[in-house]
Amino acid sequence: MAIRTILNEKEDILHKVCRPVTEFNERLWEQLDDMAETLEASNGVGLAAPQVGILRRFFIMDVGDGLVEAINPTIIAKKGTQDGQEGCLSSPGKWGMVERPQKVILKAQDRYGKEFTLSSKDLAARCICHETDHLDGILFAERAHEMLQET
Ligand code: CO
């Protein structure tokens, strides 16, 4: 395992649409393991593949109840709204208010290609929306209705 460099929002790759994962092999697992180590080292709650330079559709998150690995994720249902503060490991020092669904249902594959669904709410739902956006090249600042002062 290795800690990978987290790219800054200024990098082109963070504004591109990622391609689906087609091979669930050791290369993918190594990328996932590296991302988990990188996330832990940076005290974040989520990390998407393009943030470490991989233009593929997957992310990891850990909002405090265990690591989730989501490959080729899709949000298949949304309910309610929540408004709250959001930041991004690729945008150090930047914070903004973003409205997101209160609850989402995520459909994705695990690291072996097996499909699963996950019902999430609150911070987990926010994180899933934020990370899924990354796979389409969308950063939270583009969704924010208000940017907060840098601290
Ligand atoms: Co982010």
Side-chain angles (χ1 to χ4, degrees):
M1 300 229 294
I3 291 177
R4 303 218 177 185
T5 302
I6 297 176
L7 300 180
N8 187 272
E9 60 176 16
K10 294 184 184 77
E11 302 282 342
D12 279 354
I13 195 166
L14 283 168
H15 303 272
K16 290 184 173 164
V17 176
C18 297
R19 289 170 291 156
V21 172
T22 53
E23 305 214 28
F24 296 80
N25 55 18
E26 281 182 19
R27 185 154 180 257
L28 173 69
W29 304 336
E30 192 184 336
Q31 291 169 338
L32 285 163
D33 291 343
D34 284 357
M35 282 169 63
E37 198 176 336
T38 307
L39 182 64
E40 201 182 329
S42 54
N43 290 312
V45 293
L47 188 64
Q51 291 182 277
V52 292
I54 303 163
L55 253 184
R56 294 282 180 178
R57 303 190 76 82
F58 63 96
F59 70 78
I60 61 167
M61 73 166 191
D62 188 346
V63 295
D65 46 11
L67 185 70
V68 174
E69 298 176 340
I71 325 293
N72 297 325
T74 334
I75 295 167
I76 56 171
K78 301 176 186 179
K79 200 175 178 188
T81 57
Q82 55 172 320
D83 193 25
Q85 192 173 315
E86 214 166 291
C88 180
L89 292 172
S90 294
S91 312
K94 263 193 178 181
W95 302 90
M97 297 299 289
V98 186
E99 195 177 286
R100 301 284 193 185
Q102 187 68 41
K103 294 180 178 177
V104 301
I105 299 175
L106 175 77
K107 190 175 109 180
Q109 287 165 283
D110 69 12
R111 60 164 60 201
Y112 306 104
K114 190 173 184 292
E115 265 192 13
F116 67 93
T117 57
L118 180 69
S119 294
S120 299
K121 60 179 183 174
D122 305 329
L123 178 61
R126 173 176 297 282
C127 186
I128 286 168
C129 294
H130 178 115
E131 302 310 330
T132 305
D133 271 352
H134 270 301
L135 308 182
D136 291 318
I138 299 165
L139 299 175
F140 83 93
E142 299 166 52
R143 298 246 191 241
H145 60 83
E146 183 192 350
M147 290 306 286
L148 305 173
Q149 286 289 346
E150 288 192 21
T151 50

